[in-house]
Amino acid sequence: MRINSLKTLLVASTAFAALSAPAVYAQSDTAAQTPASAMDNYTPVTEDMLVDPPAQDWLMFRGAYNNQGYSKLDLINKDNVGKLQLAWAWPMAEAGIQETAPLVHDGIMFLQTNNNIVEALDAKTGDLIWQYRHVLPEIPASWSYQANQARRQKASIALYDDKVILTTVDAKIVVLNAKDGKVAWEKQVLDYNVGYSYTVGPLVADGKIISAISGCSIAGTAGGCYIMAHDINTGDELWRFNTIDDPDNPKQQESWGDVPPENRWGGTPWTTGSYDPETKTTYWGVGMPGPYAELIRGSGDGSVLYTNSTVALDTETGKLKWYYQHLPRDNWDLDSPFERILVDQEVDGETHKMLVTVAGKNGIAFALDRDTGEYLWSLETVYQNVVTSIDDDGTVNINEDLVSQAVGEEFLICASVSGGKLWQAGAYSPLTNAYFVPLTEACNTVAPTQTEFTAGNAVGSVKFGPRVLPEGQTNAGLVEAIDVNPEQGESKWEYRSRPTPTSSVLATAGGLVFGGDAARDVKAWDQETGDVLWTQRLNAPIGGYPMTYEIDGEQYLVIPTGYSNSASSIASAFPEIPLPTGSGNSIFVFKLPKSDS
């Protein structure tokens, strides 16, 4: 069912016109608060709140430490979702790739955007309270890959106490005062001049700022890619874990063959980790090795740990508890760093503590025992041809026929370098025990190349062909609902569409899943059936991380929109759906009419 209200669209157009002018903060007949009064009731975010977040808030990247992307709010539900109307909208401060993850606490929204701009908004009215613009260093124009990192900031803020914690593209941790946006302190973590940067945000856990560095596939950063912990008050480093050089694990060293640590690249943890406060364990996904092809990498048939793995780390010491490798011996940039979701299920009186993930671009779902790392099950979603089988003990076997033996030898690889699964996060609902995953059907050719490694640029050394649909497939887009239990994951329903999904998804206690696509449509699906109960076309591809919050008895739904690599990379598969030429980076905030909330 498609529900489009002309009144809603007119309100949206009017709101955008108003937002193009400077904000004026004054009382009005809509009872908008001034910025000063909006902050009057702001209280510190405590450790207890982080462990058990208030339902009305959205305190972290995926709502809670378990990364489920699930809200306990149910005021917007299957019965009334069709009545949603625009409450307010806000244009992002700067253009770039739309991967924002807004946070809300005590009626204040904190919004990060590209080039490390942070804004505080009144979450009821959309009025700007303050803006922080990070001063970035000048870099040479030839550093194209490194410059691109500033245009794809993901979930780069966290809340704790009366502070907003920001990780930056010049490899700093910057701590802002939540009430005024002024810098409380900052810490230079690693050297930006050699290529290190942050593209994902920190996790505040166990009294620490736990963060993961990026830039590990840039020429100057060989030998080290790190998950690190810093003191929450001073920024002093407490520990670091190197994802490509672990001297405590001989198997890890052997897995790189004859490649010494100083010639290793990759292993980037591209997505903010999850955390189990009971066991003080944090779980992070780790990305591909570099160079991408083993022919150039020099690692032979080694599995190149801990690339494409889940690592479980002790938050007190940073020591490895266990690891599991989802794709060994990657030759195709099919990295596996995406959201790790923590799920507890009671079956026959026994509590099963699981980690569930569609870890990588090939779209294979995995369930692991999160205390031991034991493999429980896996399930294929999109078409892929790189994994031939997974043994009962969890050993993943690759298709060796697709490993190039010479420079320029080309193979068609599915899924593509753009997924399959990409950064867009899935969500888990304890209402239905289902994991909802946005996916793309796509393939591309891959061939090793010989490339000079230059400052500020990646060491990938492969050539990718254009993205195409798998043979016989006409729909690029897929939202898969996976029925999760400790024994086996099975498909609950799937929703296929011509355009690809371009946003993460949000699950709610209202029985809904929200997400959107390259055709600019945000949708609400019924968690049980996959039926579309509401859809609204917006100004640009849906992006970032939809979320929800409650103020004064009203539930609000936040939908980011804007430029999307995920849309442009596979746009030729749905040429009848033209993409906007501008970035359009914005957030749209919906709520029910007063009488229905």
Side-chain angles (χ1 to χ4, degrees):
M1 176 171 61
R2 185 174 181 86
I3 303 170
N4 263 322
S5 166
L6 179 60
K7 178 181 176 182
T8 300
L9 291 174
L10 290 173
V11 170
S13 300
T14 304
F16 246 79
L19 287 168
S20 63
V24 178
Y25 304 110
Q27 294 290 341
S28 70
D29 56 4
T30 58
Q33 293 179 304
T34 65
S37 64
M39 275 292 186
D40 284 351
N41 298 320
Y42 192 84
T43 59
V45 175
T46 65
E47 289 192 20
D48 288 343
M49 288 181 187
L50 294 177
V51 171
D52 186 16
Q56 70 270 18
D57 286 349
W58 194 264
L59 294 182
M60 61 189 80
F61 163 55
R62 297 299 286 153
Y65 280 142
N66 56 28
N67 273 5
Q68 289 182 2
Y70 174 77
S71 170
K72 298 176 183 178
L73 298 180
D74 62 1
L75 295 176
I76 300 171
N77 54 55
K78 290 190 280 189
D79 294 330
N80 60 24
V81 66
K83 299 179 181 179
L84 281 175
Q85 295 180 351
L86 187 72
W88 56 269
W90 182 254
M92 303 288 280
E94 195 152 326
I97 301 168
Q98 175 56 290
E99 299 180 7
T100 192
L103 307 180
V104 168
H105 175 54
D106 282 346
I108 307 299
M109 178 181 293
F110 298 94
L111 185 68
Q112 102 293 343
T113 189
N114 305 288
N115 291 314
N116 296 136
I117 299 168
V118 182
E119 295 175 319
L121 305 172
D122 184 328
K124 190 169 186 177
T125 66
D127 290 336
L128 178 67
I129 299 171
W130 56 254
Q131 182 188 85
Y132 168 79
R133 284 181 173 264
H134 188 63
V135 178
L136 294 171
E138 294 288 333
I139 63 172
S142 60
W143 292 14
S144 59
Y145 183 88
Q146 193 164 340
N148 186 57
Q149 303 309 301
R151 299 182 61 252
R152 57 188 306 250
Q153 293 301 289
K154 299 187 293 186
S156 62
I157 52 174
L159 302 179
Y160 180 75
D161 196 31
D162 58 351
K163 301 293 189 292
V164 179
I165 302 165
L166 168 69
T167 50
T168 73
V169 295
D170 54 344
K172 291 180 180 178
I173 295 173
V174 178
V175 177
L176 308 174
N177 294 318
K179 290 200 171 186
D180 59 18
K182 294 181 179 178
V183 176
W185 58 264
E186 63 179 54
K187 174 83 171 182
Q188 185 71 56
V189 176
L190 291 173
D191 189 355
Y192 179 76
N193 293 301
V194 300
Y196 286 117
S197 63
Y198 282 112
T199 58
V200 298
L203 173 72
V204 177
D206 192 27
K208 302 171 181 67
I209 300 170
I210 302 176
S211 60
I213 204 69
S214 299
C216 306
S217 296
I218 289 179
T221 61
C225 199
Y226 306 106
I227 301 167
M228 292 168 286
H230 293 82
D231 184 274
I232 193 75
N233 296 309
T234 66
D236 292 341
E237 185 177 314
L238 302 176
W239 53 256
R240 67 171 63 183
F241 177 80
N242 191 335
T243 63
I244 55 176
D245 181 19
D246 183 3
D248 295 332
N249 185 353
K251 288 185 178 180
Q252 192 272 342
Q253 298 292 347
E254 293 167 7
S255 71
W256 282 82
D258 295 330
V259 182
E262 61 268 22
N263 290 119
R264 299 176 191 170
W265 283 273
T268 304
W270 287 110
T271 303
T272 305
S274 50
Y275 173 60
D276 185 341
E278 290 186 7
T279 60
K280 292 193 173 182
T281 307
T282 185
Y283 306 86
W284 293 74
V286 181
M288 74 289 179
Y292 301 156
E294 64 187 43
L295 179 70
I296 308 299
R297 192 163 61 231
S299 54
D301 60 1
S303 61
V304 285
L305 292 168
Y306 299 109
T307 66
N308 293 333
S309 299
T310 297
V311 293
L313 305 178
D314 187 317
T315 59
E316 293 184 330
T317 65
K319 295 295 184 182
L320 181 72
K321 289 188 172 184
W322 57 259
Y323 68 88
Y324 175 83
Q325 192 167 36
H326 301 270
L327 181 63
R329 198 178 163 187
D330 186 358
N331 279 265
W332 316 283
D333 188 17
L334 294 178
D335 51 333
S336 301
F338 306 124
E339 72 279 359
R340 268 51 177 177
I341 294 176
L342 309 186
V343 172
D344 291 349
Q345 286 186 3
E346 186 170 315
V347 180
D348 297 331
E350 180 183 357
T351 299
H352 295 263
K353 299 176 70 175
M354 295 179 283
L355 182 149
V356 181
T357 180
V358 175
K361 294 176 183 177
N362 61 23
I364 299 176
F366 291 85
L368 308 174
D369 182 303
R370 74 169 182 266
D371 286 338
T372 65
E374 177 190 357
Y375 168 81
L376 301 177
W377 53 260
S378 59
L379 177 72
E380 294 197 21
T381 57
V382 296
Y383 174 73
Q384 65 85 30
N385 62 1
V386 296
V387 172
T388 56
S389 63
I390 300 177
D391 297 339
D392 290 343
D393 66 357
T395 300
V396 177
N397 303 298
I398 70 164
N399 186 349
E400 296 190 15
D401 291 340
L402 299 179
V403 177
S404 298
Q405 302 299 314
V407 171
E409 186 178 15
E410 182 179 88
F411 293 104
L412 182 68
I413 303 301
C414 306
S416 86
V417 66
S418 299
K421 179 68 164 61
L422 206 57
W423 61 266
Q424 295 94 328
Y428 173 83
S429 172
L431 274 185
T432 52
N433 293 335
Y435 177 25
F436 308 97
V437 190
L439 299 151
T440 298
E441 296 277 11
C443 308
N444 55 239
T445 57
V446 180
T449 62
Q450 288 183 321
T451 308
E452 181 183 1
F453 296 169
T454 58
N457 291 295
V459 299
S461 298
V462 298
K463 180 182 178 181
F464 297 109
R467 283 46 156 181
V468 297
L469 292 174
E471 185 177 356
Q473 183 59 260
T474 59
N475 293 316
L478 171 63
V479 176
E480 181 87 20
I482 301 171
D483 189 7
V484 171
N485 63 67
E487 300 297 327
Q488 181 59 55
E490 298 176 334
S491 179
K492 183 180 180 70
W493 54 258
E494 60 179 37
Y495 176 87
R496 291 191 178 270
S497 60
R498 287 280 290 160
T500 185
T502 48
S503 79
S504 300
V505 297
L506 165 72
T508 74
L512 299 168
V513 180
F514 293 95
D517 59 32
R520 301 182 286 125
D521 287 328
V522 58
K523 292 182 173 69
W525 292 272
D526 185 314
Q527 286 185 22
E528 287 285 0
T529 64
D531 292 339
V532 176
L533 304 180
W534 172 75
T535 184
Q536 177 67 66
R537 179 157 289 188
L538 298 177
N539 66 319
I542 313 304
Y545 300 83
M547 51 81 77
T548 189
Y549 59 93
E550 181 184 338
I551 301 177
D552 296 338
E554 292 186 291
Q555 184 179 350
Y556 294 76
L557 171 70
V558 182
I559 304 295
T561 66
Y563 175 77
S564 172
N565 271 353
S566 300
S568 60
S569 68
I570 190 66
S572 61
F574 40 88
E576 75 280 10
I577 303 173
L579 301 182
T581 55
S583 70
N585 286 17
S586 311
I587 58 167
F588 289 80
V589 181
F590 295 88
K591 69 182 183 72
L592 295 170
K594 191 70 175 179
S595 60
D596 292 284
S597 59

